[in-house]
Amino acid sequence: MNLFKNLSIKLKMILIIQLVSLLSLLIGFSYMIVRNISDYKQDMISNANINANLIGEFSAVPLAFDVSENANETLEKLKSIPSIEVGIVYNNKNEIFAEFNPQENKIDIHPSDIKNSGSYFKDNYLHIFQTIKYDNEFAGTIYLQVSTEELGAKITSYLYTMLYLLAGLLLVNYILALALQRILSDPILKLTNATKKITAEGDYQLRVEKYGNDEIGILVDEYNNMLEQIYIREESLKLRTTELSNALDDLTNTQRKLIDAEKMAALGQLVAGIAHEINTPLGAIRSSVENIKSSLNFLLRDYPEFISRLPAPLKESFFNLTRDSLNNQVMLTSKEERTYKKAIIKTLEEHQVKNAYSVADSLVDMLIYTNVENYLDLLTAEQSDEIVDMAYKLSGLQRSRGNIEFAAAKASKVVFALKNFARIGHSDEKIYANVIDGIETVLTLYYNQIKQGVEVTKTFDDIPEILCYPEELHQVWTNIIHNSIYAMELQGKMDIRVYTKEKDIVVSITDSGKGIPPEIKDQIFKPFFSTKPSGEGSGMGLDIVKRIIEKHNGNIEVESKPGETTFLVYLPIEVNAQTQLNSAS
């Protein structure tokens, strides 16, 4: 098996074609051989039966009148048929009436065979029994012992012929396999060689030549499309800022595509927060780009002269300072920054470094907050202000790049969540999806409201994907989470848990809001019922939630008391085919 794995693709294809062809030929030839040998035997039996019938007709009268001489004369005629070695005529008492046995072969016949017509092969002979009747009365039995030597020779000759034919067909098949493998393997080998070249050179503009519209041609098309996509994505990195700026326009277009009124209302409430979440990283990107532009202009103009003027003993320390700043990637909290600044200022003042506060501020911004003593030769030098300023601008490039990456990732996450949320996707068919992904999408969109004072805790177990309508479940989580935030007035705690219980996935969303009064608890799922002031709610949210969950053959429950309200959603992991059919109807 390992040897087969290491063979080239050409040899593999030839072997596969040969093995399949050989198997097919063996099956076909085996059937033909068995069928023809059976026909040969049947022909021999038929010929022997004809001879037995003739002898029986000529022996019927002698048997009836007990004249054995005539029967013996008839049997003597069997000498003209070399294959018949024994012929015996029995009377109706199972006694030998006439016999032809020139070679005096031993005859061992069971008495029960004598009175029945039949045939069988045994000990290289065909044994034939044929009853003889006279005036429709049983008169006796004719027995013939026929040699199968001629039959064996005929079968042997036939087997050799079939073997030669099989060998010839395999040779022809091998020639055809050589030609066929070239048609199939050459495009694959060219695709492989192109992949190696692209891997070695990184040239994603290279394209593989297409030779046809078959499956391999489709593979080549998809491969070329993949290369095109990779090339486009590389180029798109240069346009990241522009794409993020256009994301705000996509929000408006997305709203127009929503056909569900309640989902449209929820999205309308989120637009301002989402715009803020995108504008914030865009502003950071613009600011970082300006910093990079300013720093590059300054460095390109002044850095060479600065390095040339810097005394040799200080150059290594300067390079160490900039390298340590670029290598440090840990982001500090405001509290940590204040703590480190105080410690650095104290160290600098002890060593009489001028402008200790300003220098400490710059060092912390450069993420140099430990082992400041290693750079005292720079900080106490005559041109220390210029050295710190130059190092700060160099590390500023790294900080700006990190800011751009972080801001772009954050904006991309929001845009991705929005696209998932806004996708219409009202398909009549369910698909497999993870419930947790939908909850995370909704939380991302509500982040601007949550961060104002809602503490969210999440406990997500490993759960299987379920067959569902993901976009409709998005609306379930949107309505429940929105209602929880509204009930807490943007201040409180929200606990979200996802786990399995028996054959269900359970989603539990708990908030620390004022709770649902017992007298209206049974009405919250009714259409047009709302506890919000007029104009702020349609009263359809929880009714739609309940309908969507029931469409998934699930169930929703609510438990509430002052300071704690929990919505429990049960979604079945497995649904039998009949239940799905009833749901669809």
Side-chain angles (χ1 to χ4, degrees), residues 407-477:
K410 183 176 181 181
S412 296
K413 181 180 179 181
V414 175
V415 172
F416 178 77
L418 180 63
K419 286 182 178 179
N420 283 345
F421 178 83
R423 186 185 297 118
I424 297 213
H426 290 292
S427 172
D428 293 333
E429 296 183 1
K430 295 180 179 179
I431 64 172
Y432 282 97
N434 193 309
V435 171
I436 294 175
D437 293 340
I439 295 174
E440 291 283 18
T441 294
V442 175
L443 288 174
T444 299
L445 295 179
Y446 273 100
Y447 177 73
N448 188 60
Q449 297 183 27
I450 291 173
K451 71 180 182 181
Q452 297 181 34
V454 178
E455 179 183 345
V456 178
T457 58
K458 298 180 290 186
T459 306
F460 296 156
D461 292 351
D462 289 333
I463 61 171
E465 292 185 341
I466 62 172
L467 204 58
C468 63
Y469 303 100
E471 291 77 19
E472 295 188 17
L473 288 181
H474 285 176
Q475 189 169 347
V476 172
W477 318 132

Side-chain angles (χ1 to χ4, degrees), residues 264-308:
M264 176 70 81
L267 184 60
Q269 296 171 0
L270 288 172
V271 166
I274 295 172
H276 174 76
E277 288 302 307
I278 295 179
N279 272 325
T280 298
L282 284 177
I285 290 174
R286 293 190 187 98
S287 175
S288 297
V289 168
E290 289 298 325
N291 289 338
I292 291 174
K293 180 179 178 182
S294 175
S295 297
L296 282 176
N297 289 336
F298 174 80
L299 291 172
L300 291 174
R301 184 182 69 247
D302 297 338
Y303 185 73
E305 180 185 354
F306 166 79
I307 288 296
S308 64

